[in-house]
Amino acid sequence: MENRVQEIIEKQVLTVAKAVEDKIDDQIAALDKLDLDDIEVLRERRLQQMKKMAEKRSRWLALGHGDYSEIFSEKDFFSIVKASDRVVCHFYRENWPCKVVDKHLGILAKQHIETRFIKIQAEKSPFLAEKLKIVVLPTIALIKNAKVDDYVVGFDELGGSDDFSTEELEERLGKAQVIFFEGESSLKPPPKTQTRNVRQGSISQDSDSE
């Protein structure tokens, strides 16, 4: 019986290997058929793609991307979400859970310059907090094309405690498509620190979480 199972597995492996080999052969054959004009067209297309990406990077950096910055007025919030296609906004108060979020967003802002990362103090932005129904702090609003598309509220989606990794938050933002994320983080997992209990809180209360 074991020999039979082993034989089946070996056949499956060979089948997959053959399919991969055939695909590579097809790609090589396609390259062999290219003449100098085709290669020049591909080269020019690649150069144009690189040029467009460089222009995008320059525009993003000019808009403040690549940095995790605090804004101090609701007017600034609306200006930023109109200017950038993707915005991650942390509504915070001066407490431990929000400082944990600050640490992770500061790292991700540098890794994902395609997205603007900002923070705003919820208690000093009552109109905005009410309009976006911000109750629990910390709350991260995920904004695409000037509209709030999703929220990360507290730490419930991140394991329920404040010792979650930057990669876990990155994956969550990736699922919301507010950053460019292909399923594998380029970040190295940071060492786990001593776990502290997360307390939730609302804007109108002194507790740190709900």
Side-chain angles (χ1 to χ4, degrees):
M1 179 64 179
E2 291 182 1
N3 291 337
R4 177 59 178 165
V5 171
Q6 183 66 26
E7 183 181 345
I8 293 173
I9 293 174
E10 288 177 355
K11 286 183 178 180
Q12 291 176 337
V13 170
L14 288 173
T15 300
V16 172
K18 183 65 167 59
V20 172
E21 184 179 350
D22 289 344
K23 185 176 181 180
I24 294 174
D25 288 342
D26 290 342
Q27 292 173 342
I28 293 173
L31 290 173
D32 288 339
K33 292 178 182 178
L34 293 178
D35 57 27
L36 290 178
D37 289 338
D38 293 328
I39 293 173
E40 186 59 31
V41 168
L42 291 175
R43 179 176 176 275
E44 182 63 27
R45 186 180 302 167
R46 178 60 178 160
L47 287 174
Q48 289 299 322
Q49 289 174 342
M50 293 172 64
K51 183 179 178 181
K52 287 181 180 179
M53 180 54 66
E55 290 172 350
K56 281 185 178 181
R57 288 176 64 88
S58 295
R59 179 177 178 274
W60 289 334
L61 293 174
L63 289 172
H65 293 220
D67 188 31
Y68 176 50
S69 55
E70 181 168 6
I71 59 173
F72 299 96
S73 75
E74 295 171 333
K75 181 180 178 181
D76 288 341
F77 172 87
F78 289 109
S79 297
I80 287 170
V81 300
K82 287 179 181 178
S84 296
D85 293 337
R86 293 165 298 277
V87 179
V88 171
C89 182
H90 173 205
F91 286 86
Y92 82 99
R93 74 186 317 164
E94 294 294 344
N95 61 19
W96 169 255
C98 290
K99 291 183 185 301
V100 171
V101 172
D102 284 340
K103 178 188 73 173
H104 294 299
L105 292 183
I107 295 170
L108 292 174
K110 293 178 174 58
Q111 294 290 329
H112 293 278
I113 68 168
E114 71 277 5
T115 301
R116 182 78 190 271
F117 286 77
I118 58 175
K119 61 186 288 190
I120 186 168
Q121 194 163 354
E123 292 171 331
K124 294 183 179 180
S125 310
F127 170 79
L128 196 55
E130 181 178 358
K131 180 178 178 65
L132 300 182
K133 296 180 174 58
I134 306 297
V135 178
V136 174
L137 298 177
T139 287
I140 306 172
L142 310 180
I143 304 155
K144 294 188 293 184
N145 300 316
K147 295 181 180 180
V148 178
D149 187 68
D150 199 357
Y151 295 94
V152 180
V153 181
F155 297 156
D156 288 346
E157 296 182 69
L158 302 168
S161 66
D162 60 6
D163 66 341
F164 62 90
S165 67
T166 304
E167 290 82 2
E168 288 174 297
L169 180 55
E170 182 183 31
E171 183 178 356
R172 175 63 179 85
L173 301 184
K175 286 181 179 178
Q177 298 182 344
V178 75
I179 60 173
F180 296 163
F181 184 71
E182 297 180 356
E184 291 187 6
S185 175
S186 60
L187 302 169
K188 292 182 179 179
K192 293 282 187 177
T193 57
Q194 184 177 358
T195 303
R196 296 179 58 174
N197 291 332
V198 175
R199 299 163 303 163
Q200 296 194 332
S202 67
I203 294 173
S204 59
Q205 297 176 353
D206 292 332
S207 59
D208 296 335
S209 102
E210 188 176 59

